């Protein structure tokens, strides 16, 4: 893991839903080439934290500073269209159910983010196919969702998250619907493809095995960070 300046530096994040405090003054830094697990019980605030870091939601108070060529920019104060552009270009996403489109093939699903940025269909498909091959899905490019196993479908989702070469990939319970063996395989593919290419990986998980496979674990409870610790290197092998 590198010690360079953070890709994302969040400070004093507060978020309330009515009378419920989802985040209470949370501060966290995410560095290039780092894999970070965010753990906590249901309702602890871990998914809200991910959504604020990724610009999906905006905090009521606090900053989410994203490193750019022109210096840090506060994601929390950006207009909605600018945050949407970040999610298309600098951020990638993997969700528990994958959220793939059943009517599309694996390569078509993986190519979607590139098409949304204006890349040609041929160029987008070529890049997507390269990622599918890198993730062990060579020969499955033309299969649809119903023809893939759960683990294969999640690898397609990982390819989709990676095709734009994002700075950060956010994964919300990416192995929650998988068996233990497939979970380990998917997490290895996710970690190696993101961190191995210099990106940062932020994983929300309730699974201690998944968390232990990351460089660092942050535990959140009642909207506050309770612990922030580095994991042993041998746990990530």
């Amino acid at each position: 893991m590198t010690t360079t300046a953070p890709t994302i530096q969040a400070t004093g994040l507060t978020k309330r839903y009515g009378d419920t405090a989802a985040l209470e003054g949370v501060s966290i830094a995410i560095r290039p080439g780092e894999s970070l697990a965010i753990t906590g019980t249901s309702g602890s605030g871990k998914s809200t934290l991910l959504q604020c870091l990724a610009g999906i939601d905006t905090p009521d108070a606090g900053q989410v500073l994203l490193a750019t060529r022109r210096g840090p920019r506060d994601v929390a104060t950006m207009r909605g269209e600018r945050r949407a552009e970040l999610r298309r270009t600098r951020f990638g996403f993997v969700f528990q159910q994958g959220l793939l489109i059943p009517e599309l093939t694996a390569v078509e699903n993986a190519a979607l983010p590139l098409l949304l940025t204006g890349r040609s269909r041929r160029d987008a498909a070529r890049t997507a196919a390269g990622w599918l091959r890198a993730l062990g899905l060579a020969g499955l490019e033309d299969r649809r969702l119903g023809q893939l196993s759960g683990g294969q479908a999640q690898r397609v989702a990982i390819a989709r998250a990676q095709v734009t070469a994002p700075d950060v990939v956010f994964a919300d319970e990416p192995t929650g619907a998988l068996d233990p063996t497939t979970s380990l395989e998917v997490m290895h593919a996710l970690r190696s493809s993101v961190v191995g290419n210099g990106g940062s990986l932020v994983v929300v998980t309730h699974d201690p095995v998944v968390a232990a496979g990351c460089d660092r674990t942050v535990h959140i409870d009642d909207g506050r960070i309770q612990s922030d610790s580095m994991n042993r290197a041998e746990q990530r092998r």
Side-chain angles (χ1 to χ4, degrees):
M1 186 180 67
T2 179
T3 57
T4 57
T7 300
I8 294 177
Q9 176 78 61
T11 307
L13 297 183
T14 299
K15 182 70 178 181
R16 301 187 69 87
Y17 297 101
D19 295 330
T20 302
L23 297 176
E24 289 275 22
V26 170
S27 297
I28 190 171
I30 302 163
R31 293 178 172 80
E34 176 180 49
S35 56
L36 168 69
I38 301 174
T39 65
T41 58
S42 178
S44 62
K46 59 185 186 296
S47 290
T48 301
L49 176 56
L50 180 146
Q51 290 166 9
C52 287
L53 293 174
I56 296 172
D57 203 352
T58 55
D60 298 326
Q63 291 183 315
V64 180
L65 298 180
L66 174 67
T68 73
R69 294 179 181 178
R70 297 182 179 180
R73 295 285 306 280
D74 189 358
V75 175
T77 60
M78 289 179 180
R79 292 180 179 272
E81 58 267 25
R82 176 59 179 143
R83 293 201 311 272
E85 181 183 353
L86 284 179
R87 294 194 296 269
R88 289 195 301 268
T89 58
R90 296 195 61 183
F91 297 157
F93 298 91
V94 180
F95 301 99
Q96 179 173 338
Q97 300 298 336
L99 300 184
L100 301 174
I101 300 175
E103 293 80 11
L104 300 182
T105 65
V107 72
E108 289 169 342
N109 267 289
L112 272 178
L114 292 173
L115 296 175
L116 292 174
T117 63
R119 295 272 287 274
S120 71
R121 185 174 297 274
R122 177 178 295 181
D123 186 32
R126 182 167 55 247
T127 301
W131 272 107
L132 292 176
R133 289 193 298 272
L135 289 163
L137 298 178
L140 304 182
E141 294 88 348
D142 294 328
R143 291 195 182 183
R144 287 180 167 77
L145 185 58
Q147 299 171 303
L148 300 172
S149 68
Q152 289 169 341
Q154 279 298 68
R155 287 171 184 253
V156 174
I158 294 170
R160 183 185 58 189
Q162 285 285 79
V163 291
T164 59
D167 297 302
V168 187
V169 171
F170 296 95
D172 195 352
E173 298 285 6
T175 65
L178 304 175
D179 63 79
T181 299
T182 306
S183 294
L184 289 176
E185 294 172 352
V186 166
M187 275 307 301
H188 176 73
L190 182 57
R191 190 172 61 248
S192 60
S193 66
V194 176
V195 176
N197 285 280
S200 303
L201 174 63
V202 180
V203 181
V204 164
T205 183
H206 68 277
D207 188 336
V209 176
V210 170
C214 294
D215 297 316
R216 176 176 156 217
T217 298
V218 167
H219 183 75
I220 189 169
D221 189 31
D222 290 332
R224 295 181 174 89
I225 290 179
Q226 303 298 323
S227 63
D228 186 342
S229 59
M230 302 300 296
N231 294 327
R232 296 169 58 186
E234 54 265 33
Q235 291 178 304
R236 304 193 296 273
R237 293 176 183 172

